[in-house]
C-alpha cells in the first residue's frame, strides 16, 4: 500500500552546527521527524515535520505503564554517495514482534518503510560520509491515551527521529558478569525491544560503571550460569577458533547485527555455534588459554571488542585487539557492506528511495 506522507520542510537547518569529524553518539538530531498517530483503529496523518518538541498529556499512558518500544537502525552512504538502509524489513518485523508482546498495535510494514525511506531521503545530507559513522535511525512507538487506569492504551504515537553518530564504544569495553540483578527470564519481555528492559538495566549498569566497567554481561536467573547478552549488544566468544553466541531462547534480544554476523561468518567458512554457554565454560577456556576473542554486536555498537570480563574475583584480560582475526574480519565486512566496498549478495543494503514507489493513477 502506498501512503501519502505530508512533508513540511524546515527553514532553519541545524546541519551547519555539526562537525562530522567529531560526532558523539546520540547528541545531535537532524532537521526532520516522521510522525504517525494510531487513533484506536487506524494509523492516521503520517507526516514529516521540522524536528521539534511535542507536548503530551501528563496522564500519557506510555509514561506511566511503559508501553513503549523502539528500534535502532543506521543509514550510511556508499563510496559514491548513495544513501543506504541496512535490513530495513527485518527491523520493521522486529518492531512488530515487540508491539505484539507489549500489546500495542502493529505498524503496517509499508508505513514503517515508506516513512523511514522518505525521512532519510529528506535528511540525506545528515549522513556522515566516513566509514564507521552513520545516521542513526530511531523508530519509537509509545502509548498515548490520557488515562490513569491500567489497561492497554487505545491511542499510540509512532515517530522516527534520526541523528548522525560516530562509534558507540570508541574503545574496547570492560564487562562485569552480573550475578545478582537479572535483565530478563524466559517469558518476560526480554526479546522485545521495550523501553522498560533498558530502564531495569540502569542501576546494575551504574553500579558496574562505578567499579570501572562499561557494561554488565547478563547471566540467566536463577542459576546465574548461562550467559545472555550485554547491556546494549549481543555477545560472541571465540574459543579455539569456534565462534559461539548464546541461542535466543525468549529472554535475549534477536539482534539483527547478530544475525548478519552469524550468516557472514558461516559463509566465510568460520565455524559458528549458536547454543547455550555458561560462565564456567568461559572461565575454563580463559584459564586454558583458548578464549581468543570476545566481542559485542548491535546496531549502535556494530562490532565492539571486549577487553576485560570480571566474574566474581576473577578479572579475565583478553588478548590484544590487533591479533583478533574473526572480530576484525566481521567488523570490516559489515562496515564494507554498508559503504559498498563489499558486494551485498543478500539484499541487505537497500538504496534510499526504493520504498517510494510511483503513484498509481486512479
Ligand atoms: C541499538 O543498537 O541500536 C540499540 O538500540 C542499543 C542501544 C543504543 C539502546
Amino acid at each position: 500500500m502506498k501512503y501519502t506522507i505530508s512533508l513540511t520542510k524546515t527553514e532553519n537547518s541545524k546541519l551547519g552546527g555539526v562537525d562530522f569529524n567529531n560526532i558523539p553518539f546520540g547528541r545531535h538530531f537532524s532537521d526532520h521527524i516522521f510522525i504517525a498517530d494510531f487513533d484506536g483503529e487506524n494509523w492516521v496523518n503520517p507526516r514529516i515535520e521540522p524536528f521539534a518538541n511535542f507536548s503530551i498529556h501528563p496522564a500519557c499512558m506510555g509514561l506511566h505503564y511503559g508501553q513503549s518500544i523502539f528500534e535502532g537502525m543506521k543509514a550510511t552512504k556508499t563510496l559514491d554517495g548513495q544513501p543506504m538502509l541496512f535490513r530495513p524489513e527485518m527491523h520493521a518485523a522486529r518492531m512488530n514482534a515487540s508491539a505484539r508482546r507489549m500489546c500495542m498495535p502493529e505498524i503496517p510494514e509499508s508505513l514503517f518503510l515508506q516513512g523511514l525511506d522518505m525521512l532519510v531521503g529528506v535528511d540525506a545530507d545528515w549522513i556522515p560520509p566516513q566509514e564507521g559513522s552513520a545516521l542513526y535511525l530511531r523508530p519509537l512507538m509509545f502509548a498515548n491515551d490520557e488515562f490513569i487506569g491500567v489497561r492497554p492504551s487505545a491511542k499510540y504515537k509512532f515517530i522516527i527521529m534520526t541523528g548522525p553518530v560516530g562509534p558507540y564504544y570508541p574503545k574496547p569495553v570492560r564487562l562485569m558478569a552480573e550475578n545478582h540483578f537479572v535483565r530478563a527470564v524466559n517469558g518476560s519481555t526480554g526479546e522485545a525491544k521495550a523501553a522498560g528492559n533498558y530502564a531495569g538495566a540502569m542501576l546494575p549498569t551504574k553500579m558496574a560503571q562505578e567499579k570501572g566497567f562499561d557494561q554488565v554481561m547478563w547471566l540467566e536467573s536463577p542459576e546465574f550460569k548461562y550467559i545472555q547478552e550485554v547491556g546494549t549488544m549481543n555477545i560472541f566468544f571465540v574459543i579455539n577458533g569456534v565462534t559461539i553466541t548464546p541461542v535466543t531462547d525468549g529472554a535475549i534480544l534477536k539482534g539483527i547485527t547478530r544475525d548478519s554476523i552469524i550468516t557472514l561468518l558461516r559463509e566465510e567458512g568460520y565455524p559458528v555455534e549458536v547454543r547455550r554457554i555458561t560462565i564456567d565454560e568461559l572461565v575454563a577456556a580463559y584459564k586454558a588459554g583458548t578464549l581468543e576473542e570476545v566481542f559485542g554486536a548491535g546496531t549502535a555498537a556494530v562490532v565492539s571488542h571486549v577487553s576485560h570480563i570480571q566474574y566474581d574475583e576473577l578479572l579475565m584480560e583478553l588478548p590484544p585487539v590487533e591479533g583478533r582475526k574473526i572480530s576484525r574480519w566481521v567488523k570490516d565486512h559489515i562496515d564494507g557492506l554498508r559503504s559498498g566496498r563489499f558486494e551485498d549478495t543478500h539484499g541487505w543494503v537497500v538504496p534510499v528511495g526504493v520504498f517510494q514507489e510511483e503513484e498509481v493513477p486512479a
Side-chain angles (χ1 to χ4, degrees):
M1 172 172 175
K2 171 79 179 168
Y3 285 87
T4 302
I5 300 170
S6 69
L7 170 63
T8 311
K9 287 187 101 172
T10 184
E11 291 180 0
N12 300 302
S13 174
K14 301 181 294 306
L15 185 55
V18 182
D19 173 8
F20 275 174
N21 294 312
N22 178 22
I23 331 174
F25 190 94
R27 292 263 170 225
H28 294 291
F29 303 99
S30 33
D31 283 332
H32 297 91
I33 183 167
F34 172 84
I35 307 178
D37 297 297
F38 189 76
D39 65 5
E41 282 180 18
N42 296 301
W43 286 101
V44 295
N45 194 14
R47 57 205 186 271
I48 291 175
E49 298 176 345
F51 187 91
N53 293 350
F54 45 64
S55 67
I56 45 176
H57 193 280
C60 166
M61 288 189 76
L63 295 180
H64 293 257
Y65 304 122
Q67 270 186 302
S68 173
I69 57 172
F70 67 95
E71 275 299 307
M73 313 176 61
K74 276 180 176 166
T76 46
K77 273 186 182 159
T78 57
L79 299 171
D80 55 6
Q82 167 65 45
M84 310 296 278
L85 303 170
F86 191 75
R87 309 192 76 177
E89 292 97 339
M90 199 164 176
H91 283 280
R94 191 173 66 177
M95 184 92 182
N96 280 336
S98 299
R100 288 191 294 275
R101 175 63 184 86
M102 302 304 288
C103 203
M104 300 165 80
E106 293 187 33
I107 301 157
E109 187 194 49
S110 48
L111 177 61
F112 183 102
L113 295 175
Q114 285 166 33
L116 183 78
D117 186 84
M118 187 169 162
L119 180 68
V120 176
V122 168
D123 277 339
D125 288 347
W126 284 82
I127 304 175
Q130 42 306 43
E131 228 183 62
S133 297
L135 187 68
Y136 188 75
L137 318 174
R138 174 50 66 85
L140 167 80
M141 194 216 297
F142 60 90
N144 204 20
D145 265 10
E146 301 155 8
F147 181 59
I148 288 290
V150 179
R151 56 144 173 80
S153 179
K155 290 188 287 173
Y156 295 84
K157 202 174 263 301
F158 172 53
I159 67 165
I160 308 174
M161 55 202 275
T162 76
V165 295
Y168 194 83
Y169 294 113
K171 50 185 186 42
V173 293
R174 296 167 60 90
L175 303 181
M176 200 187 90
E178 174 60 61
N179 55 13
H180 173 66
F181 293 104
V182 183
R183 175 185 175 272
V185 295
N186 242 324
S188 72
T189 59
E191 211 172 74
K193 211 158 167 59
N197 290 340
Y198 295 81
M202 300 280 175
L203 176 65
T205 306
K206 181 166 171 272
M207 290 167 72
Q209 286 168 350
E210 282 164 0
K211 293 183 186 145
F213 297 92
D214 298 294
Q215 278 293 339
V216 292
M217 184 170 82
W218 298 107
L219 303 176
E220 183 184 290
S221 165
E223 299 157 277
F224 292 99
K225 286 290 170 206
Y226 290 99
I227 300 168
Q228 294 182 314
E229 60 176 280
V230 172
T232 50
M233 43 194 189
N234 294 113
I235 189 86
F236 287 76
F237 308 99
V238 181
I239 299 178
N240 237 344
V242 178
T243 305
I244 303 164
T245 193
V247 61
T248 54
D249 55 359
I252 298 175
L253 187 78
K254 288 191 170 165
I256 291 166
T257 308
R258 171 187 178 279
D259 179 80
S260 309
I261 289 172
I262 294 168
T263 305
L264 291 172
L265 287 178
R266 283 185 171 154
E267 280 174 2
E268 191 63 13
Y270 290 114
V272 179
E273 293 178 5
V274 179
R275 62 166 170 86
R276 304 183 88 201
I277 174 166
T278 61
I279 188 78
D280 294 341
E281 180 179 344
L282 200 68
V283 169
Y286 175 75
K287 289 186 172 164
T290 55
L291 179 58
E292 292 152 357
E293 305 182 30
V294 180
F295 60 97
T299 296
V302 192
V303 170
S304 291
H305 303 289
V306 173
S307 62
H308 296 81
I309 303 176
Q310 174 89 38
Y311 176 58
D312 284 340
E313 300 302 308
L314 176 68
L315 180 64
M316 295 183 261
E317 184 174 346
L318 295 151
V321 168
E322 294 68 43
R324 298 191 190 186
K325 190 172 143 209
I326 291 175
S327 43
R328 284 163 55 102
W329 180 87
V330 84
K331 177 171 175 7
D332 183 56
H333 222 82
I334 290 196
D335 284 343
L337 276 176
R338 286 195 156 121
S339 69
R341 198 161 40 85
F342 292 119
E343 189 193 352
D344 170 27
T345 54
H346 303 95
W348 288 347
V349 190
V350 182
V352 167
V354 298
F355 299 113
Q356 308 301 317
E357 65 215 51
E358 294 291 308
E359 287 280 9
V360 181

